[in-house]
Amino acid sequence: SEYNNPDTDGDNLSDGLEDSNANGIWDDGETSPCLFDSDGDNLGDGVEDENQNGIQDPGETDPADPDTDSDGMPDGYEIVNGLDALADDAFADKDQDGYSNLREFISGTSPDDGFAVPDPLADSEPDFDVDGQDLFRLLEEWNRSGCTAQDPCLYDLNQDSAVDVLDLRLFLEDFGRDE
């Protein structure tokens, strides 16, 4: 933080609130007095801590956690798109187009526009449909973890480094659909 500036990063939280133990180190549970958005979710720390008291109160997202509700979508994305950053709404379908909010986030389509539908993620051949061949390949990778750019998993659809039940749910959104 800057000498004689009570809010170095301009996020409406005083440096003293952000470095609550005043040790000059960005500790777990604290926000950075030098970063407007400490958790990188595209919401300023002072926006997430609405009453600027340095405590995550009911109804506020956590400025030290990019995904307060742990549903796989950053708080900023959820708020901008009219989703609930405080409740797991990953597999809800706000626009009723048959694709979950999480799937729309992963695909970069709008969860608020039923005409903007994602391209299939799970077509491994690619033969422009998601069918039994794709299901077979998903099952071959089932429970695999440690997926990386160097050693990718084709069916780690939510890109969390593992092929698991979340990927199966995303796969089922594509199953039987043609591109």
Side-chain angles (χ1 to χ4, degrees), residues 9 15 40 48 56 68 77 91 156 172:
D9 57 13
D15 291 355
E48 294 194 77
Q56 184 191 351
T68 300
Y77 173 85
F91 286 98
D156 179 19
L172 292 174

Side-chain angles (χ1 to χ4, degrees), residues 32-164:
S32 171
C34 299
L35 295 173
F36 182 80
D37 176 17
S38 295
D39 61 9
D41 63 1
N42 291 318
L43 294 174
D45 297 342
V47 171
E48 294 194 77
D49 184 0
E50 292 177 31
N51 60 4
Q52 285 93 37
N53 68 351
I55 299 168
Q56 184 191 351
D57 297 306
E60 293 179 338
T61 55
D62 184 350
D65 183 348
D67 184 12
T68 300
D69 59 10
S70 300
D71 65 359
M73 298 177 288
D75 297 338
Y77 173 85
E78 291 195 70
I79 289 172
V80 165
N81 287 285
L83 304 175
D84 189 343
L86 298 173
D88 184 343
D89 53 358
F91 286 98
D93 181 8
K94 183 179 181 195
D95 59 13
Q96 302 297 304
D97 63 359
Y99 293 96
S100 66
N101 298 330
L102 178 61
R103 175 58 190 285
E104 302 256 18
F105 166 69
I106 291 168
S107 298
T109 54
S110 173
D112 207 18
D113 179 357
F115 295 104
V117 296
D119 291 331
L121 290 174
D123 185 15
S124 66
E125 284 98 55
D127 59 358
F128 307 107
D129 67 354
V130 180
D131 55 19
Q133 291 176 354
D134 300 297
L135 178 59
F136 179 76
R137 289 195 173 125
L138 177 131
L139 293 174
E140 286 181 323
E141 288 190 341
W142 187 251
N143 280 333
R144 182 173 166 205
S145 60
C147 307
T148 64
Q150 295 77 27
D151 187 21
C153 295
L154 188 60
Y155 286 101
D156 179 19
L157 302 177
N158 65 338
Q159 301 169 350
D160 66 352
S161 301
V163 180
D164 54 23

